[in-house]
Amino acid sequence: MKLIQAFPIVAETPAINTRRRKEAEMMLKLMRAPAKYVQGQDALSQVYEETKDLGKSFLFICSRSGHRNCYEKIGKSFSGKDAKILFEIFGGVSSIGEIEKMQGIVKDQKIDCVVGVGGGSAIDTAKATAYYEGLPVVIIPTVAATDAPCTGLSVIYNNDGTFAKYIFYPKNPDAVLVDTDVIAHAPVKFLIAGMGDALGTFFEARACEKAKAPSLENGGITKSAMALCKLCYETLLEDGYKALRACENGVVTPAVESIIEATTYLSGVGADNGGLAVSHSVYNGFTALEECEKTMHGSIVAFGTIAQLILENAPMDELDEVIDFCVSVGLPVTLNEIGVTDMNRVHIAAEKACADGESIHNMIGDVTPAQLYDALIAADVLGKEYLGE
Ligand SMILES: [Zn+2]
């Protein structure tokens, strides 16, 4: 059965697989990361000290809540120093229009360094503005919902909010500064989603390494990248639940520090240099369903990771470990928990997840929509069983 199955699958998508494998043969190993990563309680009081070598005038592109939570601390850090700071609250979406508006401010105010303060969209707007203006960029994440702060890419939208493009930058941010007080006081759903995004990192990188597929930065995968991805997973297992309980009560403990490092640095640098596979394609697939619109990126990535393990026929111990972790920190293990109630709709998501160019094609032997559909249903069955449904 296996041989019969393998032949037509490879034949169906020769373009992607043969191209990727060929690239892989001559691919140089590559490792990229932010030039500097600073994390800790009250880290924002050190913004000036940690960024003063990057210029004399700074534009802080803030989300509304980022501005509210960080404005005072940043102002204090720069107070009495020989540097100009300017705050701008951006429109909420990393759109082409918003980036052009910020570029205008950079030119008018003769800005030397762009700083993004907030979640994924503020970060992406700052990265793109800095890139187009040829300036350094500093990232101050205010939630741990995704691994965007440390990566060298952005998601850009059209002015009407539809997806426009990815921008892959020649380098990662010049500095990432994480104030764990700020993150620990953000709504806990962000931390949970961040753990979901980080859960995919090790398994996706492992799949890419096996298939000799390229990393997100289109390089060969280093031992260093794999070590970070593995540490990311081990940290989640060790400290995820403890960190969640602490954050629910607004306190910072060593477990919270570990988990913020895992979701921000290990997951970001890990994914950038380790590559993506099924988990993230499953997320892209379910964005086709409006009933999943409110489900956060990392939550769907976590469920997609269980589906990936099913496709890999991972040992039961590993599946148990991952499902157990998800349940312990409130990540979804069933389709219902990510918003799906009509199982017929899963076919649509599976189809979209397997579109050309999706990272799911990094899997050895590739994956068809029908195979992914079966894996999603099988994951759902295991999850329901675990929850006693
Ligand atoms: Zn992600």
Side-chain angles (χ1 to χ4, degrees):
M1 266 316 279
K2 269 186 187 155
L3 271 178
I4 298 165
Q5 208 179 24
F7 181 69
I9 294 161
V10 174
E12 266 172 33
T13 53
I16 294 162
N17 266 345
T18 42
R19 184 168 51 81
R20 276 195 171 274
R21 295 288 143 70
K22 265 198 187 143
E23 275 172 5
E25 276 165 29
M26 53 186 171
M27 205 161 40
L28 299 176
K29 291 193 176 185
L30 173 70
M31 187 71 193
R32 292 177 32 166
K36 185 195 271 191
Y37 179 81
V38 182
Q39 179 192 307
Q41 286 191 271
D42 206 27
L44 277 178
S45 65
Q46 300 299 313
V47 188
Y48 170 75
E49 282 302 319
E50 297 295 350
T51 58
K52 64 183 180 199
D53 58 317
L54 298 174
K56 291 274 181 218
S57 58
F58 294 77
L59 171 64
F60 289 82
I61 299 175
C62 309
S63 66
R64 206 160 280 284
S65 65
H67 183 263
R68 194 175 52 235
N69 297 329
C70 303
Y71 173 80
E72 243 175 69
K73 280 186 174 184
I74 294 170
K76 230 171 145 184
S77 167
F78 277 87
S79 154
K81 303 291 191 304
D82 177 26
K84 185 178 87 175
I85 56 172
L86 187 70
F87 290 91
E88 273 294 323
I89 297 176
F90 86 119
V93 179
S94 49
S95 63
I96 292 164
E98 202 62 41
I99 294 160
E100 283 171 354
K101 186 181 140 199
M102 295 300 160
Q103 284 182 263
I105 297 171
V106 164
K107 286 192 183 91
D108 290 348
Q109 302 291 325
K110 300 194 172 28
I111 297 292
D112 297 329
C113 177
V114 180
V115 188
V117 184
S121 297
I123 291 169
D124 281 344
T125 305
K127 281 181 184 171
T129 304
Y131 170 67
Y132 288 129
E133 293 301 313
L135 296 177
V137 65
V138 176
I139 305 296
I140 300 177
T142 54
V143 290
T146 70
D147 56 19
C150 292
T151 63
L153 62 106
S154 285
V155 190
I156 305 298
Y157 297 90
N158 293 311
N159 294 340
D160 63 3
T162 55
F163 170 80
K165 60 182 171 186
Y166 289 101
I167 309 179
F168 290 88
Y169 302 115
K171 64 183 177 62
N172 292 46
D174 295 85
V176 176
L177 207 129
V178 192
D179 189 320
T180 42
D181 282 325
V182 172
I183 306 250
H185 286 94
V188 80
K189 66 174 181 183
F190 293 119
L191 188 83
I192 296 172
M195 288 197 275
D197 200 20
L199 180 64
T201 307
F202 169 65
F203 298 103
E204 292 184 280
R206 187 177 71 179
C208 288
E209 193 195 30
K210 262 188 206 159
K212 298 206 181 317
S215 72
L216 262 181
E217 296 298 349
N218 210 24
I221 299 168
T222 58
K223 283 171 78 73
S224 315
M226 286 312 299
L228 294 185
C229 294
K230 188 155 179 275
L231 181 61
C232 181
Y233 178 54
E234 287 165 357
T235 306
L236 291 176
L237 294 182
E238 188 59 39
D239 290 327
Y241 179 72
K242 286 183 273 178
L244 171 71
R245 299 297 291 149
C247 280
E248 279 170 348
N249 292 284
V251 292
V252 178
T253 58
V256 171
E257 293 283 355
S258 295
I259 286 301
I260 291 173
E261 188 183 331
T263 56
T264 310
Y265 189 87
L266 296 175
S267 177
V269 177
D272 230 18
N273 298 287
L276 301 179
V278 177
S279 316
H280 273 78
S281 286
V282 166
Y283 166 74
N284 290 338
F286 280 103
T287 57
L289 308 186
E290 58 198 22
E291 58 269 39
C292 298
E293 253 171 31
K294 288 204 179 80
T295 312
M296 295 183 76
H297 170 79
S299 300
I300 301 180
V301 169
F303 184 72
T305 302
I306 303 173
Q308 178 174 320
L309 292 175
I310 301 268
L311 282 166
E312 292 174 311
N313 201 20
M316 202 58 221
D317 283 357
E318 190 166 80
L319 265 163
D320 274 340
E321 193 173 71
V322 168
I323 294 173
D324 194 60
F325 168 75
C326 287
V327 173
S328 76
V329 297
L331 283 166
V333 295
T334 65
L335 285 162
N336 189 33
E337 285 178 299
I338 61 168
V340 182
T341 46
D342 177 358
M343 293 305 142
N344 290 320
R345 308 267 292 161
V346 178
H347 285 293
I348 302 169
E351 199 68 51
K352 192 175 176 214
C354 296
D356 270 1
E358 273 296 338
S359 57
I360 197 166
H361 302 299
N362 283 339
M363 298 293 287
I364 277 188
D366 210 354
V367 178
T368 64
Q371 287 172 320
L372 178 60
Y373 171 84
D374 287 357
L376 290 165
I377 297 297
D380 181 58
V381 168
L382 286 184
K384 279 186 188 144
E385 197 176 280
Y386 192 100
L387 297 178
E389 285 175 8

